[in-house]
Amino acid sequence: MALACKSVRCAPTCAKGRGPAVRTVAPVRRSRTAVQVKALFGGGQGGGNPFDMGKLMESVKKAQAMVQQETQRVQQELANTEFDGYDEDETVRVVMTGNQEPKSVDVTQAAMDAGAEEVSRRVTLAMKDAHGKSVAGMKEKMKELAKNLGIPNPGALP
């Protein structure tokens, strides 16, 4: 009975005449390497840490500057916009800015002929009308501002 040679250096057939050579190979031992998470923390190769506080603060400052700039623009537009309010007979006109600042009051002779109490009532009505229009205009501008700044659902603003 021929036994297989267990020597690694044997030729395809054993020189000792024991039949075909059988090679035994030691298991390959691989060294373990540490797994590095480079995508999340950058690994020093430009990936960047999305939680980097310096970049976060820089983004916050840019957003604040944009909000401030847009807010100033809207305030300027409101200050330059005039809303007219009238009494029911249109004998009194009140002009008010978008910031609810009264600009002027015009009273016709017909209103003056109605007497002091009636003039007072008509001026009050015209002021309420102008104020309501001014507030509506301001709300519309603020909704537009919120939309431009990417605030979701600007229609929920009061």
Side-chain angles (χ1 to χ4, degrees):
M1 169 177 202
L3 295 174
C5 181
K6 292 185 180 181
S7 172
V8 175
R9 295 185 182 171
C10 288
T13 29
C14 185
K16 297 179 184 173
R18 296 190 192 149
V22 177
R23 295 179 124 185
T24 58
V25 179
V28 176
R29 198 169 167 107
R30 295 184 181 179
S31 64
R32 293 186 181 192
T33 58
V35 176
Q36 295 181 355
V37 181
K38 293 182 180 181
L40 184 59
F41 299 109
Q45 298 181 356
N49 179 357
F51 305 109
D52 182 6
M53 292 306 289
K55 289 183 181 178
L56 177 64
M57 292 307 294
E58 184 179 321
S59 295
V60 168
K61 286 180 182 178
K62 285 181 183 177
Q64 285 175 334
M66 185 178 78
V67 168
Q68 186 176 17
Q69 182 181 17
E70 285 294 311
T71 302
Q72 286 176 347
R73 180 188 61 81
V74 168
Q75 286 175 343
Q76 188 65 34
E77 284 180 16
L78 287 170
N80 294 332
T81 304
E82 293 183 345
F83 296 91
D84 293 343
Y86 296 94
D87 67 325
E88 67 270 358
D89 295 332
E90 294 188 4
T91 56
V92 176
R93 179 179 78 132
V94 174
V95 179
M96 193 171 284
T97 68
N99 294 330
Q100 290 81 50
E101 179 183 326
K103 294 288 277 189
S104 66
V105 177
D106 296 326
V107 181
T108 63
Q109 187 61 43
M112 294 296 285
D113 292 342
E117 287 184 29
E118 185 63 21
V119 170
S120 175
R121 187 185 73 76
R122 289 180 184 194
V123 168
T124 301
L125 288 174
M127 286 186 71
K128 285 181 179 180
D129 185 39
H131 183 264
K133 290 176 181 178
S134 177
V135 169
M138 180 186 66
K139 284 183 179 181
E140 187 62 35
K141 288 289 185 182
M142 295 309 285
K143 285 179 185 178
E144 181 183 312
L145 172 66
K147 185 179 176 184
N148 289 342
L149 294 175
I151 297 173
N153 195 13
L157 293 175

